[in-house]
Amino acid sequence: MSAIKFNRAPAAPLSVYVHIPWCVRKCPYCDFNSHAQREEIPEARYLDALARDLELALPDVWGREVSSIFIGGGTPSLFTEGGIDRLLTTLRTLLRVSPLAEITLEANPGTFEAARFRGYREAGVNRLSLGIQSFNPAHLKALGRIHDDREARAAAEAALELFESVNLDLMYALPGQSLEQARADLETAIRLGPAHLSAYHLTLEPNTPFAAQPPPLPDDDLAADMQAQAEDLLGAAGYQHYETSAFARPGQACRHNLNYWTFGDYLGLGAGAHGKLSFPDRIERQARLKHPRAYMDAVLAVSPRHIAETRTLGRGDRVFEFMMNALRLSEGFDPRLFETRTALSIGAAEAGLAEAERRGLLLRELHNVRPSETGRRFLNELLQLFL
């Protein structure tokens, strides 16, 4: 495999993702690396492990400015305010974090405490992402969520008072959900007025309880109607549909996720965290050990062995992974960005681009490639052309 030859040092923006892997209870649809809390969370030791993980990674990112930090999970809001403050202090001490960096924390309404939210804000979190999923108590119960509709509203209202930017996560095509019920969830979220809304189609992921024993779900036609309804309602309310599942007020798109979707770089820290980093001669993906105890033991050992996998992206990988991310964006991408981020000519993707255009899945102009409306609705079919 030939080495990458960038014209200069890689210019991709750098983000940091920190994974906190514990949750109160594992939801039956969730395939994330999350672990139900069965005893007291070893917060201090995990923070020690994250600090050591970062120290070991510094040679790979030395001198680069960090434009965003995302603390995800699991349920990061299980950590104390002091724990999040310590984490962010460590990141700011060892990395060149932009003073304008977007700093997001994921939170669960079931772990909501106003004082804790205030403490996160004081620690430097400026964007909160709340896993609401639904405002309907029956659907929350069916999803195995630990919060009810009243807690969802209370947490959203408190977050909106405290944080500059708030995202509410919603899901649709839920067990037994009607079109009218999906609409009611959207209307409640719109009335609350967050800067950002995510609307995800519930999918049955392998190796989850829902995959083993599928609940009664809306059929494909009804699910498509729910998706179209979300696009119409949120568009009418002033939200821009800028990515497959993401809607934002003008200027409020999630910068951290935009960096993923434009094939930027990100350092992944924590149990099971994934990262992607560009070097002058290669692009690498890394993954940490998944189990929290194994990760902590490995990274804090005299000879750390916490990296489960390191993989250099070949030519075909770079084409597919760029397209897999960038074609999620409604506005698509400039071919020059493809060349900057992959160190390949856009011609490397020509066969897939031409076939996608022929099938009506893609629209091409001199400085823009974007999915058509059909391509957005059949994204998997579009992406398969680049495999």
Side-chain angles (χ1 to χ4, degrees):
M1 179 174 59
S2 60
I4 292 175
K5 297 188 185 299
F6 288 97
N7 293 328
R8 51 190 172 83
L14 178 66
S15 297
V16 175
Y17 175 77
V18 181
H19 193 72
I20 294 180
W22 292 279
C23 54
V24 174
R25 183 173 66 209
K26 184 89 170 178
C27 296
Y29 58 85
C30 178
D31 69 337
F32 294 160
N33 182 38
S34 58
H35 302 261
Q37 178 186 0
R38 304 193 188 282
E39 54 191 26
E40 185 178 354
I41 292 173
E43 180 176 302
R45 188 165 192 259
Y46 194 71
L47 290 167
D48 289 343
L50 289 172
R52 180 66 174 141
D53 193 350
L54 176 56
E55 289 169 357
L56 293 166
L58 285 178
D60 290 342
V61 296
W62 191 253
R64 296 179 65 180
E65 184 175 77
V66 173
S67 59
S68 68
I69 297 167
F70 196 104
I71 306 168
T75 304
S77 53
L78 289 175
F79 269 38
T80 64
E81 311 94 287
I84 297 300
D85 182 59
R86 179 185 162 191
L87 171 60
L88 292 177
T89 298
T90 298
L91 292 170
R92 293 191 194 97
T93 301
L94 297 179
L95 296 169
R96 191 159 67 92
V97 179
S98 167
L100 300 177
E102 175 190 84
I103 302 177
T104 302
L105 180 105
E106 287 186 333
N108 188 326
T111 61
F112 161 64
E113 295 176 21
R116 184 167 282 194
F117 274 19
R118 192 172 295 110
Y120 297 148
R121 182 67 191 91
E122 291 169 356
V125 174
N126 53 33
R127 184 175 184 273
L128 199 76
S129 182
L130 271 175
I132 299 288
Q133 316 314 356
S134 175
F135 292 99
N136 183 306
H139 293 144
L140 290 170
K141 184 177 180 180
L143 290 172
R145 303 296 288 173
I146 64 169
H147 65 273
D148 61 24
D149 54 317
R150 290 167 297 178
E151 289 172 309
R153 289 186 180 87
E157 289 166 357
L160 288 160
E161 287 183 8
L162 286 167
F163 293 90
E164 299 167 24
S165 182
V166 173
N167 169 63
L168 301 183
D169 273 346
L170 295 177
M171 300 178 78
Y172 63 91
L174 306 180
Q177 188 179 41
S178 68
L179 187 64
E180 293 73 21
Q181 288 170 329
R183 182 185 185 94
D185 278 347
L186 290 164
E187 289 175 339
T188 300
I190 290 168
R191 281 196 298 272
L192 287 165
H196 193 285
L197 279 163
S198 300
Y200 298 102
H201 187 303
L202 174 65
T203 54
L204 303 185
E205 300 292 351
N207 303 314
T208 62
F210 269 11
Q213 294 184 307
L217 298 177
D219 62 28
D220 290 345
D221 288 341
L222 179 52
D225 289 343
M226 290 178 180
Q227 180 181 345
Q229 174 177 257
E231 293 169 0
D232 292 343
L233 280 177
L234 292 170
Y239 290 88
Q240 296 172 341
H241 187 194
Y242 71 97
E243 186 271 339
T244 302
S245 304
F247 302 78
R249 302 282 189 195
Q252 295 294 320
C254 177
R255 285 188 274 143
H256 185 88
N257 285 343
L258 278 175
N259 190 39
Y260 290 155
W261 297 321
T262 53
F263 209 51
D265 282 354
Y266 55 100
L267 174 65
L269 303 171
H274 289 249
K276 174 244 170 188
L277 295 173
S278 300
F279 301 91
D281 62 342
R282 69 194 187 282
I283 297 174
E284 277 189 359
R285 285 205 176 275
Q286 284 187 341
R288 268 64 175 163
L289 290 171
K290 291 184 69 174
H291 195 277
R293 190 177 303 279
Y295 164 77
M296 288 186 286
D297 289 347
V299 76
L300 293 171
V302 175
S303 300
R305 297 181 182 277
H306 59 296
I307 306 296
E309 179 187 7
T310 299
R311 180 169 62 91
T312 299
L313 300 187
R315 178 186 177 95
D317 295 325
R318 282 176 273 151
V319 172
F320 175 69
E321 291 196 14
F322 181 93
M323 295 299 175
M324 179 179 66
N325 287 285
L327 289 176
R328 293 180 64 90
L329 294 170
S330 301
E331 294 183 359
F333 65 92
D334 187 322
R336 292 171 293 189
L337 180 71
F338 174 88
E339 296 176 353
T340 299
R341 298 286 162 86
T342 66
L344 295 169
S345 162
I346 190 65
E350 178 57 31
L353 292 171
E355 179 61 17
E357 190 174 27
R358 187 188 70 79
R359 295 190 192 183
L361 301 172
L362 202 68
L363 302 171
R364 282 204 282 181
E365 298 169 356
L366 179 61
H367 293 305
N368 182 253
V369 177
R370 65 186 186 278
S372 65
E373 184 174 342
T374 302
R376 286 168 56 189
R377 294 196 181 278
F378 298 95
L379 184 61
N380 287 340
E381 180 183 337
L382 171 57
L383 296 178
Q384 284 173 3
L385 298 176
F386 300 95
L387 278 172

